[in-house]
Amino acid sequence: MSEQTQERTPERRVVVVGAGMAGVQTAVALREQGFTGPVTLIGAEPHQPYDRPPLSKAVLLGTAEGSAFDVDFEALGITLRLGCEALGVRPAEHVLDTSEGPLPYDCLVLATGAEPLRLPGAEGVPGVHLLRTLDDAERLRPVLARQHDIVVVGAGWIGAEFATAAREAGCAVTVVEAADRPLAGALPAEVAAPMARWYAEAGAVLRTHARVERVEPGEGPGESGHVVVLDDGSRLPAGAVVVGIGARPATAWLAGSGIALGAHGEVVADDRLRTSATDVYAVGDCASFPSGRYGERLLVHHWDNALQGPRTVAADIVGAAAGEVPEAYDPVPYFWSEQFGRFVQYAGHHTAADATLWRGDPASAAWTVCWLREDHLVALLAVGRPRDLAQGRRLIQAGTAMDPRLLTDPAKPLKAATA
């Protein structure tokens, strides 16, 4: 009887919207966890799904042609629909509307990531670039090869990484930042301050307290001549302008769907990454989730979150049929960046810390900052100290109590600084 029932029960269809890291890993994790139903992966770009971090490094500098994921989608039975844009969701009908027509689903996974903020007044201006997609990187590669003078707007993670690549390519680089320091939205002033020196050491000019008023065509031919006008009247000639002023969740297409969005436009997910709509999940840069470890909702725009979250989504989809409940999604956030010859890593979430401790001299090549709350490590930033990061990440995960006096000795392993 059970076999006959199985034959009559159609396999559930999973549709994943977004072919970046979060979407690809969700599709792969479903297969790894034994899901046998149809899986369709929707990608707005025509390219084979690819990883984004190399775009600001090897792809941009021409040392790699692309960064396609090493995944055999055909062997895994994953249907790719590329160059297909998601237009809306009708949760009550379990239908995804796309540029190629409606697509029914039993489970839908939203993995559309984030989109870069554009510089007001500069949209569509030739020679003003974003760096988010493979096409963006390919447009910027010849700009670096021609060694143009470049103005980078924004001294966040992407701005710093692009400035690093542009200097490596031999370009003259000026970075303008509206705040008083680089990484103002990510790190406290005393931690970001030492990083300001890295720009000058690399031969780049960093101008803080500088807002772009407009971008004007200059004297040069084609894209080669622009002038960036700052709010103080300064005029910066630029062969190209690269904008890196942040990103927002790519969720505008969900308007009218009834799926709950948060204050930053992100999809509000629960601790199993389920949205407010039945059978709809959200993962990666487009979603926030409640963290029991940090006691607040987190919106994490980093690669590791897009790698880890899909396992929870897949486990919940697979477990739903078996009546199993996966563990709550509560990772220790992690990201890394390479800038100006330094390897920078961060783990945790520091905003609720009550103490900041330094390991090493921030003027040196290698140092670490640790954030504690009630003598428990909650976050750390490691510059050129990968062992600190690896050990610290495990200590945060375990909730181990630390001895602050031992913690500040950079000669002692972090794991030996426990209380």
Side-chain angles (χ1 to χ4, degrees), residues 23-297:
V24 167
Q25 288 301 320
T26 298
V28 170
L30 282 165
R31 292 299 188 228
E32 288 177 344
Q33 296 185 31
F35 183 79
T36 58
V39 176
T40 301
L41 184 63
I42 305 287
E45 294 180 54
H47 308 291
Q48 193 73 5
Y50 61 88
D51 202 7
R52 294 190 189 278
L55 298 184
S56 61
K57 305 172 185 73
V59 175
L60 188 61
L61 289 170
T63 57
E65 283 303 310
S67 56
F69 291 112
D70 185 17
V71 174
D72 190 335
F73 295 100
E74 186 176 355
L76 290 173
I78 296 167
T79 301
L80 290 181
R81 294 183 65 170
L82 304 177
C84 179
E85 188 177 357
L87 302 176
V89 182
R90 289 176 274 158
E93 300 167 53
H94 279 55
V95 170
L96 173 73
D97 289 311
T98 79
S99 56
E100 295 181 0
L103 187 62
Y105 65 83
D106 294 300
C107 290
L108 178 68
V109 182
L110 309 177
T112 47
E115 57 192 6
L117 297 175
R118 297 178 181 273
L119 187 64
E123 294 94 334
V125 176
V128 177
H129 300 264
L130 299 168
L131 181 52
R132 177 66 180 172
T133 68
L134 181 59
D135 288 340
D136 291 337
E138 289 180 347
R139 279 190 290 267
L140 277 164
R141 191 189 297 179
V143 172
L144 297 194
R146 290 194 294 267
Q147 298 187 331
H148 278 315
D149 291 357
I150 291 175
V151 172
V152 180
V153 184
W157 298 112
I158 288 292
E161 289 185 1
F162 180 81
T164 298
R167 286 299 300 138
E168 285 183 28
C171 300
V173 178
T174 299
V175 181
V176 296
E177 168 58 51
D180 62 349
R181 62 188 187 276
L183 295 167
L187 297 173
E190 69 272 19
V191 177
M195 299 176 172
R197 294 192 294 269
W198 299 354
Y199 288 77
E201 290 171 8
V205 175
L206 173 64
R207 293 189 58 162
T208 56
H209 299 287
R211 290 185 179 276
V212 175
E213 193 169 276
R214 62 186 182 277
V215 179
E216 296 179 347
E219 303 298 324
E223 284 194 9
S224 64
H226 291 80
V227 175
V228 177
V229 182
L230 304 183
D231 58 356
D232 66 357
S234 300
R235 298 173 65 83
L236 307 176
V241 180
V242 178
V243 179
I245 55 176
R248 63 182 164 219
T251 57
W253 66 281
L254 293 172
S257 69
I259 294 172
L261 302 181
H264 301 283
E266 84 282 9
V267 180
V268 175
D270 69 6
D271 63 4
R272 284 186 276 159
L273 301 179
R274 300 172 301 184
T275 73
S276 63
T278 304
D279 299 322
V280 180
Y281 297 79
V283 65
D285 290 6
C286 72
S288 66
F289 57 90
S291 170
R293 177 178 288 107
Y294 292 106
E296 61 182 283
R297 181 166 285 277

Side-chain angles (χ1 to χ4, degrees), residues 320-382:
E324 299 169 357
V325 178
E327 289 185 16
Y329 184 62
D330 196 7
V332 175
Y334 166 75
F335 71 89
W336 59 273
S337 176
E338 289 180 290
Q339 47 185 273
F340 307 116
R342 293 165 174 85
F343 187 44
V344 183
Q345 296 171 283
Y346 177 96
H349 184 63
H350 68 265
T351 55
D354 55 33
T356 304
L357 301 178
W358 294 75
R359 287 167 57 80
D361 181 358
S364 68
W367 46 276
T368 297
V369 179
C370 298
W371 286 274
L372 303 183
R373 185 175 66 221
E374 298 176 352
D375 288 342
H376 288 74
L377 190 65
V378 294
L380 78 159
L381 176 87

